[in-house]
Amino acid sequence: MAQAELTAGEAARTFVVIPTFNEAAAIRETVRGVLDLGLVVVVVDDGSEDETWAVLEDLPLHRLRHAVNLGQGAALQTGIDFALSRGARYVVTFDADGQHVATDIPMLVRTLVDQDLDMVLGSRFLGVAENISLFRSLLLRAGVLFGRVVSGVRLTDTHNGLRAIAAGAAPALRITQNRMAHASELIAKMKRGGLRFAELPTTVRYTSYSRRKGQSALGAVEIVYELILKRLFP
Amino acid sequence: MTLLALITAACMIYFLLLTRHRTLYRLFMLAIFLLGLIFIRWPFVTTRLANMVGIARGADLISYLSTLFLLFVTFSFYLKLRQYEQRLTVVVRELTLLRTEREP
């Protein structure tokens, strides 16, 4: 597969939002991968208690910080708001722990632009899920099925943090779920807004580091809980 | 009307009052309080009321009503907490963006 390329103009208007919480160990390397592509990086420090903030000091990126920890969904929305205020045309969401591969970003944005879409989602089940444990794979796929039943959207990976959003579509995709249910919320809003979207194969790398910090089975319970309550008492 | 229908109707009204008008909510709480006083002073009233809706003892009616009341108080607190979390998010976000403006 040929490497997708973005023009300098496109790259300059592509803001990659990386919500971060206590990722001092991994964040520099994650960020470097994205910076090397000539994209604009926005790191949102969601009230980290470690040296995440300090570790990013000398890098050519935008550093934002929440005074208290609000959750990944909230951090993403803050980053998106900031990106839009700085003239972003394309906003990419990207995980801080090194699970995502930076070189997937140009491919997503290229598709977003060329096919005039509102949102492009990455899918590890269409692409590669390196070293994924069987348990996690099953859990995620169950989550995908549940998502299909609840929101009626046909996707293969509903909890992938790698997405490209067109600036114009951002208002329709406003995140109000501060914590882990934001992924489902985005998909639900995408459907409700009748947005044009596509899913592309991307890579997710599971290392022993990310496995420890990754979304646990408890997180899955929280998502279902928040989804159900939100539906009963909007 | 069956007891269940009555209770459901009462619940819905309570729910609405809670989330909309502060004054009505306060009137409602006042009414509950006065009702409580009446029940203490004239216990036979509870028996009469209970019988009207098909319950034998006044004390049983009080039990059921109290349970419902507590459930809804809990629920209203939960709603309030959620509202506060939303407000907190707005404030923290604004602070974050303001801070960023100050730094180069």
Side-chain angles (χ1 to χ4, degrees):
Chain A
M1 189 166 32
Q3 279 286 2
E5 287 279 333
L6 297 178
T7 69
E10 285 165 347
R13 301 286 285 270
T14 301
F15 283 60
V16 181
V17 175
I18 307 179
T20 303
F21 181 64
N22 291 343
E23 292 281 3
I27 190 67
R28 266 190 89 94
E29 193 174 329
T30 305
V31 159
R32 196 126 27 126
V34 184
L35 284 173
D36 285 348
L37 297 171
L39 308 170
V40 181
V41 172
V42 177
V43 174
V44 184
D45 177 0
D46 192 17
S48 298
E49 292 136 359
D50 65 3
E51 325 82 51
T52 297
W53 183 254
V55 151
L56 295 166
E57 188 171 339
D58 58 319
L59 293 173
L61 45 75
H62 295 283
R63 264 191 322 175
L64 274 68
R65 183 191 226 171
H66 279 168
V68 293
N69 175 257
L70 293 177
Q72 195 181 46
L76 267 179
Q77 189 57 55
T78 302
I80 293 171
D81 284 353
F82 175 81
L84 293 173
S85 78
R86 294 296 174 103
R89 271 194 92 183
Y90 317 108
V91 179
V92 173
T93 65
F94 196 82
D95 283 358
D97 58 6
Q99 280 196 343
H100 290 150
V101 175
T103 47
D104 282 336
I105 299 177
M107 174 183 67
L108 293 182
V109 179
R110 181 81 272 141
T111 308
L112 190 73
V113 175
D114 292 347
Q115 296 183 28
D116 192 30
L117 300 170
D118 296 308
M119 188 145 118
V120 178
L121 302 129
S123 167
R124 84 202 78 190
F125 296 122
L126 282 179
V128 175
E130 243 175 60
N131 282 329
I132 191 172
S133 74
L134 180 64
F135 175 71
R136 175 149 286 132
S137 177
L138 288 174
L139 183 65
L140 281 166
R141 288 189 192 265
V144 171
L145 272 170
F146 179 76
R148 250 183 231 190
V149 167
V150 165
S151 67
V153 180
R154 296 194 64 83
L155 288 172
T156 61
D157 190 350
T158 53
H159 282 82
N160 198 313
L162 179 53
R163 319 167 180 93
I165 303 168
L173 293 168
R174 202 162 175 81
I175 297 172
T176 59
Q177 292 286 343
N178 282 359
R179 301 233 168 245
M180 294 317 290
H182 71 273
S184 314
E185 185 188 16
L186 276 172
I187 292 170
K189 288 196 161 155
M190 182 180 80
K191 167 147 202 259
R192 214 180 305 157
L195 299 182
R196 296 155 49 81
F197 67 95
E199 221 184 1
L200 291 182
T202 59
T203 304
V204 172
R205 286 202 191 115
Y206 292 90
T207 62
S208 53
Y209 171 78
S210 65
R211 230 184 299 215
R212 262 185 284 118
K213 301 205 77 208
Q215 197 168 332
S216 65
L218 289 174
V221 173
E222 190 184 323
I223 290 174
V224 172
Y225 178 75
E226 289 208 40
L227 277 178
I228 291 174
L229 269 184
K230 186 118 208 247
R231 289 223 176 343
L232 288 178
F233 310 108
Chain B
M1 249 210 302
T2 66
L3 173 67
L4 196 61
L6 260 177
I7 288 180
T8 314
C11 295
M12 278 159 42
I13 293 168
Y14 185 100
F15 193 122
L16 281 165
L17 290 177
L18 216 57
T19 51
R20 305 294 168 197
H21 304 281
R22 225 187 7 211
T23 322
L24 279 178
Y25 170 80
R26 283 174 181 168
L27 275 175
F28 187 78
M29 291 311 244
L30 193 62
I32 301 263
F33 180 69
L34 289 173
L35 210 61
L37 289 178
I38 293 173
F39 288 163
I40 291 168
R41 176 65 183 83
W42 298 286
F44 68 87
V45 174
T46 66
T47 323
R48 292 267 177 81
L49 283 171
N51 292 338
M52 281 201 288
V53 289
I55 299 175
R57 303 188 330 170
D60 289 345
L61 178 68
I62 303 292
S63 287
Y64 300 148
L65 291 178
S66 297
T67 307
L68 282 170
F69 182 70
L70 283 170
L71 267 173
F72 278 101
V73 167
T74 308
F75 183 66
S76 81
F77 274 124
Y78 172 75
L79 284 179
K80 204 72 194 174
L81 271 172
R82 288 255 308 215
Q83 188 192 33
Y84 270 99
E85 209 200 7
Q86 276 170 329
R87 289 172 160 191
L88 178 69
T89 304
V90 169
V91 175
V92 172
R93 184 164 291 150
E94 203 166 307
L95 175 62
T96 303
L97 297 174
L98 272 174
R99 267 199 215 167
T100 315
E101 269 168 41
R102 282 205 306 152
E103 294 164 21

mmCIF file of all heavy atoms in Angstrom, chain A residues 165-186:
data_model
loop_
_atom_site.group_PDB
_atom_site.id
_atom_site.type_symbol
_atom_site.label_atom_id
_atom_site.label_comp_id
_atom_site.label_asym_id
_atom_site.label_seq_id
_atom_site.Cartn_x
_atom_site.Cartn_y
_atom_site.Cartn_z
ATOM 1 N N ILE A 165 -11.402 14.034 12.030
ATOM 2 C CA ILE A 165 -12.677 14.742 11.952
ATOM 3 C C ILE A 165 -12.499 16.025 11.159
ATOM 4 O O ILE A 165 -11.541 16.767 11.370
ATOM 5 C CB ILE A 165 -13.177 15.097 13.370
ATOM 6 C CG1 ILE A 165 -13.301 13.828 14.222
ATOM 7 C CG2 ILE A 165 -14.498 15.823 13.315
ATOM 8 C CD1 ILE A 165 -13.514 14.111 15.689
ATOM 9 N N ALA A 166 -13.431 16.287 10.267
ATOM 10 C CA ALA A 166 -13.387 17.537 9.522
ATOM 11 C C ALA A 166 -13.903 18.651 10.431
ATOM 12 O O ALA A 166 -14.880 18.462 11.145
ATOM 13 C CB ALA A 166 -14.257 17.433 8.273
ATOM 14 N N ALA A 167 -13.255 19.794 10.390
ATOM 15 C CA ALA A 167 -13.613 20.891 11.294
ATOM 16 C C ALA A 167 -15.094 21.237 11.238
ATOM 17 O O ALA A 167 -15.719 21.521 12.252
ATOM 18 C CB ALA A 167 -12.772 22.126 10.971
ATOM 19 N N GLY A 168 -15.642 21.192 10.041
ATOM 20 C CA GLY A 168 -17.054 21.534 9.887
ATOM 21 C C GLY A 168 -17.985 20.595 10.645
ATOM 22 O O GLY A 168 -19.087 20.968 11.031
ATOM 23 N N ALA A 169 -17.547 19.372 10.840
ATOM 24 C CA ALA A 169 -18.394 18.381 11.510
ATOM 25 C C ALA A 169 -18.256 18.432 13.020
ATOM 26 O O ALA A 169 -19.051 17.836 13.745
ATOM 27 C CB ALA A 169 -18.044 16.989 11.006
ATOM 28 N N ALA A 170 -17.240 19.133 13.499
ATOM 29 C CA ALA A 170 -16.966 19.133 14.944
ATOM 30 C C ALA A 170 -18.140 19.558 15.830
ATOM 31 O O ALA A 170 -18.378 18.936 16.856
ATOM 32 C CB ALA A 170 -15.726 19.984 15.241
ATOM 33 N N PRO A 171 -18.883 20.603 15.472
ATOM 34 C CA PRO A 171 -19.993 21.018 16.339
ATOM 35 C C PRO A 171 -21.028 19.913 16.550
ATOM 36 O O PRO A 171 -21.592 19.792 17.628
ATOM 37 C CB PRO A 171 -20.616 22.193 15.574
ATOM 38 C CG PRO A 171 -19.511 22.737 14.759
ATOM 39 C CD PRO A 171 -18.692 21.544 14.359
ATOM 40 N N ALA A 172 -21.243 19.114 15.508
ATOM 41 C CA ALA A 172 -22.227 18.026 15.635
ATOM 42 C C ALA A 172 -21.692 16.903 16.516
ATOM 43 O O ALA A 172 -22.440 16.071 17.010
ATOM 44 C CB ALA A 172 -22.574 17.480 14.253
ATOM 45 N N LEU A 173 -20.373 16.899 16.718
ATOM 46 C CA LEU A 173 -19.759 15.794 17.439
ATOM 47 C C LEU A 173 -19.298 16.201 18.828
ATOM 48 O O LEU A 173 -18.384 15.611 19.387
ATOM 49 C CB LEU A 173 -18.549 15.274 16.634
ATOM 50 C CG LEU A 173 -18.905 14.600 15.317
ATOM 51 C CD1 LEU A 173 -17.663 14.406 14.476
ATOM 52 C CD2 LEU A 173 -19.569 13.254 15.576
ATOM 53 N N ARG A 174 -19.897 17.208 19.380
ATOM 54 C CA ARG A 174 -19.464 17.703 20.661
ATOM 55 C C ARG A 174 -19.531 16.620 21.742
ATOM 56 O O ARG A 174 -20.556 15.995 21.959
ATOM 57 C CB ARG A 174 -20.341 18.880 21.072
ATOM 58 C CG ARG A 174 -19.642 19.700 22.057
ATOM 59 C CD ARG A 174 -20.183 21.085 22.235
ATOM 60 N NE ARG A 174 -19.403 21.614 23.341
ATOM 61 C CZ ARG A 174 -18.168 22.121 23.200
ATOM 62 N NH1 ARG A 174 -17.655 22.236 21.997
ATOM 63 N NH2 ARG A 174 -17.470 22.501 24.239
ATOM 64 N N ILE A 175 -18.438 16.422 22.449
ATOM 65 C CA ILE A 175 -18.372 15.367 23.469
ATOM 66 C C ILE A 175 -18.875 15.901 24.805
ATOM 67 O O ILE A 175 -18.382 16.904 25.317
ATOM 68 C CB ILE A 175 -16.913 14.879 23.662
ATOM 69 C CG1 ILE A 175 -16.397 14.258 22.370
ATOM 70 C CG2 ILE A 175 -16.824 13.866 24.797
ATOM 71 C CD1 ILE A 175 -14.918 13.940 22.424
ATOM 72 N N THR A 176 -19.879 15.214 25.377
ATOM 73 C CA THR A 176 -20.347 15.617 26.713
ATOM 74 C C THR A 176 -20.045 14.543 27.752
ATOM 75 O O THR A 176 -20.136 14.784 28.948
ATOM 76 C CB THR A 176 -21.866 15.893 26.721
ATOM 77 O OG1 THR A 176 -22.543 14.708 26.315
ATOM 78 C CG2 THR A 176 -22.224 17.025 25.790
ATOM 79 N N GLN A 177 -19.705 13.352 27.298
ATOM 80 C CA GLN A 177 -19.313 12.291 28.218
ATOM 81 C C GLN A 177 -17.837 12.452 28.547
ATOM 82 O O GLN A 177 -16.977 12.200 27.724
ATOM 83 C CB GLN A 177 -19.538 10.917 27.566
ATOM 84 C CG GLN A 177 -20.982 10.560 27.344
ATOM 85 C CD GLN A 177 -21.664 10.204 28.650
ATOM 86 O OE1 GLN A 177 -21.024 9.930 29.650
ATOM 87 N NE2 GLN A 177 -22.987 10.213 28.635
ATOM 88 N N ASN A 178 -17.557 12.858 29.769
ATOM 89 C CA ASN A 178 -16.176 13.147 30.136
ATOM 90 C C ASN A 178 -15.265 11.944 30.167
ATOM 91 O O ASN A 178 -14.071 12.063 29.918
ATOM 92 C CB ASN A 178 -16.130 13.815 31.516
ATOM 93 C CG ASN A 178 -16.512 15.272 31.424
ATOM 94 O OD1 ASN A 178 -16.793 15.768 30.348
ATOM 95 N ND2 ASN A 178 -16.523 15.947 32.555
ATOM 96 N N ARG A 179 -15.811 10.803 30.507
ATOM 97 C CA ARG A 179 -14.921 9.663 30.715
ATOM 98 C C ARG A 179 -14.999 8.715 29.528
ATOM 99 O O ARG A 179 -15.114 9.151 28.394
ATOM 100 C CB ARG A 179 -15.264 8.983 32.055
ATOM 101 C CG ARG A 179 -15.124 9.985 33.203
ATOM 102 C CD ARG A 179 -14.250 9.556 34.336
ATOM 103 N NE ARG A 179 -13.971 10.670 35.229
ATOM 104 C CZ ARG A 179 -12.744 11.201 35.434
ATOM 105 N NH1 ARG A 179 -11.699 10.703 34.838
ATOM 106 N NH2 ARG A 179 -12.585 12.227 36.243
ATOM 107 N N MET A 180 -14.945 7.413 29.768
ATOM 108 C CA MET A 180 -14.710 6.498 28.664
ATOM 109 C C MET A 180 -15.881 6.306 27.714
ATOM 110 O O MET A 180 -15.720 5.740 26.657
ATOM 111 C CB MET A 180 -14.233 5.132 29.194
ATOM 112 C CG MET A 180 -12.886 5.173 29.869
ATOM 113 S SD MET A 180 -11.680 6.193 28.962
ATOM 114 C CE MET A 180 -11.410 5.184 27.527
ATOM 115 N N ALA A 181 -17.053 6.780 28.089
ATOM 116 C CA ALA A 181 -18.199 6.596 27.199
ATOM 117 C C ALA A 181 -18.173 7.547 26.012
ATOM 118 O O ALA A 181 -19.060 7.496 25.164
ATOM 119 C CB ALA A 181 -19.496 6.790 27.978
ATOM 120 N N HIS A 182 -17.154 8.402 25.915
ATOM 121 C CA HIS A 182 -17.133 9.383 24.828
ATOM 122 C C HIS A 182 -17.014 8.709 23.465
ATOM 123 O O HIS A 182 -17.499 9.232 22.465
ATOM 124 C CB HIS A 182 -15.991 10.384 25.017
ATOM 125 C CG HIS A 182 -14.632 9.805 24.797
ATOM 126 N ND1 HIS A 182 -13.914 9.174 25.773
ATOM 127 C CD2 HIS A 182 -13.861 9.751 23.689
ATOM 128 C CE1 HIS A 182 -12.765 8.757 25.295
ATOM 129 N NE2 HIS A 182 -12.708 9.089 24.025
ATOM 130 N N ALA A 183 -16.355 7.560 23.426
ATOM 131 C CA ALA A 183 -16.189 6.864 22.149
ATOM 132 C C ALA A 183 -17.548 6.489 21.579
ATOM 133 O O ALA A 183 -17.844 6.725 20.400
ATOM 134 C CB ALA A 183 -15.325 5.612 22.331
ATOM 135 N N SER A 184 -18.394 5.915 22.418
ATOM 136 C CA SER A 184 -19.732 5.550 21.972
ATOM 137 C C SER A 184 -20.548 6.786 21.643
ATOM 138 O O SER A 184 -21.343 6.776 20.707
ATOM 139 C CB SER A 184 -20.456 4.753 23.056
ATOM 140 O OG SER A 184 -19.611 3.775 23.575
ATOM 141 N N GLU A 185 -20.334 7.838 22.415
ATOM 142 C CA GLU A 185 -21.075 9.068 22.179
ATOM 143 C C GLU A 185 -20.755 9.634 20.796
ATOM 144 O O GLU A 185 -21.641 10.071 20.063
ATOM 145 C CB GLU A 185 -20.737 10.120 23.240
ATOM 146 C CG GLU A 185 -21.581 11.376 23.092
ATOM 147 C CD GLU A 185 -21.139 12.495 24.010
ATOM 148 O OE1 GLU A 185 -20.015 12.425 24.549
ATOM 149 O OE2 GLU A 185 -21.913 13.443 24.178
ATOM 150 N N LEU A 186 -19.488 9.615 20.429
ATOM 151 C CA LEU A 186 -19.090 10.138 19.128
ATOM 152 C C LEU A 186 -19.778 9.377 18.009
ATOM 153 O O LEU A 186 -20.263 9.964 17.038
ATOM 154 C CB LEU A 186 -17.569 10.044 18.957
ATOM 155 C CG LEU A 186 -16.767 11.184 19.565
ATOM 156 C CD1 LEU A 186 -15.279 10.890 19.506
ATOM 157 C CD2 LEU A 186 -17.071 12.486 18.818
#
